[in-house]
Amino acid sequence: MRGHASTLWPVSRAVGIVTTMTDTPFDPGLRPAHDKALAMLEHDIIAWFTTVADDGTPHAVPVWFMWYEGRVVVFSEPDTVKVAHVRRGSRALVHLEAGGAHGDDVVILTGTAEIDAVDSLTYVERFRDAYVHKYDKAIEAFGMEPDAMLAKYSAVIVMTPEKVLAW
């Protein structure tokens, strides 16, 4: 992630208030909040993916996701509202569920999203082992094989973060 265009607005974990409004580069390895954000992006199972309708109404849904090369990758059924919004050019927000003892593990990404030209069965080859490992229990609970799930959730949404808010 070093050098990525994402930014982080530092927030005090102790009291949960903004300590500075200056954007700083998202630079894991130099700031503890950045390290925690990166770990959550790599390991959390569920994120909330939010798009906006033409009339300004937000649409938020829980999704499985992968953090890959500085982007959030979501596999979706192709005829969903979120896919339609992304095709129309909606901006996107990805919010990881707040964890920590006091809800103090927060990562919120805002940026652009697009539908990739390839389907999920092709795209997943970039990180198949990691995807299957991350979601093996969930896939088993669905009662489907990984390739059958990927065929059903064939649209690939790639979200490119522009800003990161984390504490």
Side-chain angles (χ1 to χ4, degrees):
M1 281 297 300
R2 183 175 291 265
H4 192 270
S6 298
T7 58
L8 180 88
W9 294 350
V11 176
S12 169
R13 292 188 311 165
V15 294
I17 59 171
V18 174
T19 57
T20 178
M21 290 300 291
T22 305
D23 290 342
T24 57
F26 184 46
D27 206 351
L30 296 179
R31 294 178 178 87
H34 297 222
D35 294 337
K36 184 168 63 168
L38 182 59
M40 290 174 68
L41 287 164
E42 291 174 342
H43 301 290
D44 278 19
I45 301 295
I46 299 294
W48 285 86
F49 189 86
T50 304
T51 55
V52 181
D54 285 334
D55 67 1
T57 304
H59 175 75
V61 292
V63 295
W64 294 359
F65 73 99
M66 291 297 289
W67 178 250
Y68 179 71
E69 294 186 347
R71 292 174 174 78
V72 175
V73 178
V74 175
F75 300 139
S76 176
E77 292 178 294
D79 295 327
T80 62
V81 170
K82 67 182 169 290
V83 168
H85 287 176
V86 169
R87 286 191 194 284
R88 181 186 48 71
S90 172
R91 304 225 358 116
L93 180 143
V94 171
H95 189 299
L96 301 185
E97 296 193 284
H102 307 287
D104 55 349
D105 290 344
V106 175
V107 176
I108 304 168
L109 307 167
T110 57
T112 60
E114 62 186 13
I115 306 301
D116 200 87
V118 302
D119 67 13
S120 62
L121 282 165
T122 303
Y123 199 98
V124 79
E125 290 308 318
R126 302 169 196 195
F127 48 73
R128 177 181 278 279
D129 291 343
Y131 180 82
V132 171
H133 177 75
K134 183 176 183 178
Y135 291 108
D136 61 348
K137 290 181 178 136
I139 292 169
E140 183 180 323
F142 267 83
M144 297 175 77
E145 293 296 318
D147 283 352
M149 292 226 30
L150 290 164
K152 180 176 180 172
Y153 296 86
S154 60
V156 180
I157 302 171
V158 180
M159 189 269 202
T160 302
E162 295 169 352
K163 296 195 183 239
V164 177
L165 176 63
W167 66 87

